[in-house]
Amino acid sequence: MVPLSARRIKAVDNLINLNSKLSCNYEIFRILYSWRMGFKQAKFAVLMALEKGDFLHEARNNINEKNWLKTGQVSVSEVVEIIKICNGNHHTESPHHWISSVTVHVIKRDGWYIKFYFLEPNTYFISVHR
Amino acid sequence: MKLYRQGDSGKAICEHCKAVVPTTFVYRDVPFGDHSGVVKDILVAVCGQCDQVVAVPPQSTPAIKASREVASKSIEVILEVPYLEALDLAAYKIDPLSTVEFRKPLLVYYIHKLAQDENATQNFATWAHDLIHQNKSVMKNVPRKRLSFKVTPRINDEITEILHVTKLKKTDLIKGLVSQIDQDIVRPKTPKKLATLQTIAAVVTC
């Protein structure tokens, strides 16, 4: 990701807070968060996507057995509960293998491994398993 | 939940094109990554450039789950590497062109044969228990690897039945079966079951 100046981060945070107070518009949240995506923002955005059912699973011409959310071995609400109890210590991020401008987020908690990224306007899950 | 329809468009990362590509939602038959089956007629997003499946919406999950439950039960064990080497050697002896994918059919053949004969199962239990006990000291500092594969519910039931009759643990059952394979195929100069197993190898690797 492009490093942001402290001033811009603060400005985006103010916009996020303002939007939160005004209307909680999901799309505006997502655009704002894509500008300033730390763990808190990624967590919020992925939880919003899960709760709205507005997400997709990455596929590589087959059904990946490592994505239990895709295969139905774990429910959306279970994944939400796991992510909710995570903090920055459970999170790492790295550039996507092929598209370096896309940040891949990995959450590891209690044996769970959850890997996802945001490709506006969608949230893509790569792996959800333990 | 957001519901997609056939013909909807979007964008995704395509592994084949290694790029962000435009996508279109269509109905497709999609195989499981471990070749355990195919999910028929699910809505997926396909790449606008290479036509490969690049994304699956959550509305397709119930169909995937249903197909998966029919197709497979997971068998996972951690074995000392010499057991895996023996298994791979046997596979190689049966068919030099076979890959690690032949591990599963070979083990399933032995599981199925064992499940059909209760007396043989009892004898196998005693033999396997003694053999594994003898090998314990030899295998003490040997590295271990995971062996995992999916079987149909029918084979899974046979494994459960064998475990019930023999009182063996699943890992010990697999170790016993590999030891049996070692004795039947790897060690003899001309294994008795070679022709049958070569036919199976030809069928499953076709």
Side-chain angles (χ1 to χ4, degrees), chain A residues 52-63 65 69-73 96 98-99 117 119-120 122 124, chain B residues 1-2 4 11-13 15 18-20 30-33 52-58 61 64-65 68 150:
Chain A
K52 282 183 163 283
D54 189 1
F55 58 89
L56 288 161
H57 302 293
E58 188 184 84
R60 296 176 184 179
N61 221 25
N62 59 39
I63 305 292
E65 293 281 315
L69 188 58
K70 178 161 63 175
T71 56
Q73 290 161 271
H96 193 281
W98 308 308
I99 313 294
Y117 60 83
L119 186 67
E120 290 304 322
N122 294 117
Y124 277 88
Chain B
M1 176 189 282
K2 181 170 182 178
Y4 292 88
K11 63 176 179 176
I13 296 174
E15 182 199 22
K18 299 195 174 11
V20 176
V30 186
F32 285 106
Q52 293 215 356
V53 177
V54 290
V56 177
T61 292
I64 295 169
K65 190 180 181 194
R68 199 182 164 279
K150 300 269 178 10

Side-chain angles (χ1 to χ4, degrees), chain A residues 37-114:
Chain A
M37 189 67 81
F39 172 67
K40 278 187 184 174
Q41 288 73 26
K43 177 179 174 178
F44 187 86
V46 76
L47 286 174
M48 290 273 273
L50 284 166
E51 282 170 3
K52 282 183 163 283
D54 189 1
F55 58 89
L56 288 161
H57 302 293
E58 188 184 84
R60 296 176 184 179
N61 221 25
N62 59 39
I63 305 292
N64 173 14
E65 293 281 315
K66 293 281 174 121
N67 188 342
W68 291 7
L69 188 58
K70 178 161 63 175
T71 56
Q73 290 161 271
V74 63
S75 68
V76 169
S77 55
E78 284 173 284
V79 176
V80 166
E81 290 310 310
I82 297 157
I83 296 174
K84 269 185 180 171
I85 58 169
C86 291
N87 59 39
N89 294 328
H90 306 111
H91 170 257
T92 53
E93 61 179 46
S94 59
H96 193 281
H97 281 313
W98 308 308
I99 313 294
S100 58
S101 59
V102 174
T103 301
V104 176
H105 299 270
V106 176
I107 289 175
K108 290 179 193 172
R109 173 84 200 240
D110 300 336
W112 282 98
Y113 184 89
I114 301 169

